[in-house]
Amino acid sequence: MTTDLHEERLAAVAEAVAGTGARTVLDLGCGDGDLVLRLAAQAGIDRITGIEIDAARLRRAQARLAEAAPPGARVQLACASLTQAHPNLAGYDCACLVEVIEHLPAADINRLERAVFARMRPRHVIVTTPNAEYNPVLGVPPHRFRHPGHHFEWDRARFARWGRGVAARSGYAVAFRDICGAHPALGGASQMALFSRRSG
């Protein structure tokens, strides 16, 4: 996607995080640290933890944070798998997975669900993923994905089925919306699910 779309996506996620009132945030699959840096400058967030399996990308994120993180920002980064539960990551207010799930093989989607929703159980989970319906607007040929590292790209109906299934199995409510544009028929370039843990 273009830089403009990426910036729009990050802004949408940061706004959603702010809307949850979260003070502690996990960025699962933090990549080069784009969202971590944005959240570090956001008022009201006390602690941010970024998790990334790619060591090279994690090093880039660490270098960027060393240069650009606001003074006093409580940010930590760790190299770890998203599909394994980490007890020390339980209890966060919000977890974000920004354009992450489509990079996972199908078997790992179930492992991710168990790790995040069944074991770590943040109060809120924000997931974004490409909207396959929008691909023609971006000039992506049929039967091709936007990125060679993608294992799938879901349309909005498929994403909604997945999200509702996760919510029902895990005790969360879920809401969906288009982000990064609003084509009248095709939606946005990306789509967002906001999960909120039910009480009890």
Side-chain angles (χ1 to χ4, degrees):
M1 284 197 210
T2 67
T3 298
D4 287 346
L5 286 175
H6 184 54
E7 286 299 314
E8 190 175 344
R9 185 188 310 115
L10 292 174
V13 172
E15 180 182 5
V17 171
T20 70
R23 302 191 70 85
T24 57
V25 181
L26 281 170
D27 184 5
L28 298 173
C30 67
D32 295 345
D34 293 341
L35 181 63
V36 170
L37 278 169
R38 185 179 287 262
L39 294 178
Q42 193 160 298
I45 298 178
D46 296 332
R47 179 163 48 101
I48 305 164
T49 300
I51 299 297
E52 175 58 50
I53 193 65
D54 185 322
R57 298 195 73 184
L58 193 67
R59 286 193 295 271
R60 289 196 294 271
Q62 289 167 332
R64 293 180 68 198
L65 284 168
E67 291 181 4
R74 294 186 59 197
V75 179
Q76 57 184 347
L77 301 176
C79 188
S81 170
L82 308 182
T83 61
Q84 298 177 3
H86 304 283
N88 56 329
L89 298 182
Y92 275 72
D93 294 331
C94 185
C96 302
L97 296 104
V98 180
E99 311 294 288
V100 169
I101 62 171
E102 65 275 5
H103 290 270
L104 298 177
D108 281 347
I109 294 292
N110 293 332
R111 295 186 184 100
L112 175 75
E113 177 185 337
R114 290 193 295 271
V116 175
F117 292 90
R119 301 286 298 281
M120 291 189 272
R121 295 191 62 76
R123 286 198 300 117
H124 302 279
V125 182
I126 297 167
V127 180
T128 77
T129 192
N131 169 21
E133 296 166 73
Y134 198 88
N135 282 354
V137 179
L138 299 175
V140 179
H143 313 298
R144 289 272 302 276
F145 293 147
R146 295 181 196 177
H147 187 280
H150 290 182
H151 288 266
F152 61 85
E153 290 174 2
W154 287 337
D155 62 21
R156 288 172 293 174
R158 178 67 183 84
F159 184 50
R161 286 198 302 274
W162 174 80
R164 291 185 184 116
V166 170
R169 288 186 291 271
S170 306
Y172 283 75
V174 63
F176 304 92
R177 70 182 182 95
D178 298 324
I179 58 174
C180 302
H183 188 281
L186 305 177
S190 287
Q191 48 192 331
M192 176 187 289
L194 174 57
F195 297 86
S196 299
R197 196 178 67 213
R198 298 183 188 277
S199 59

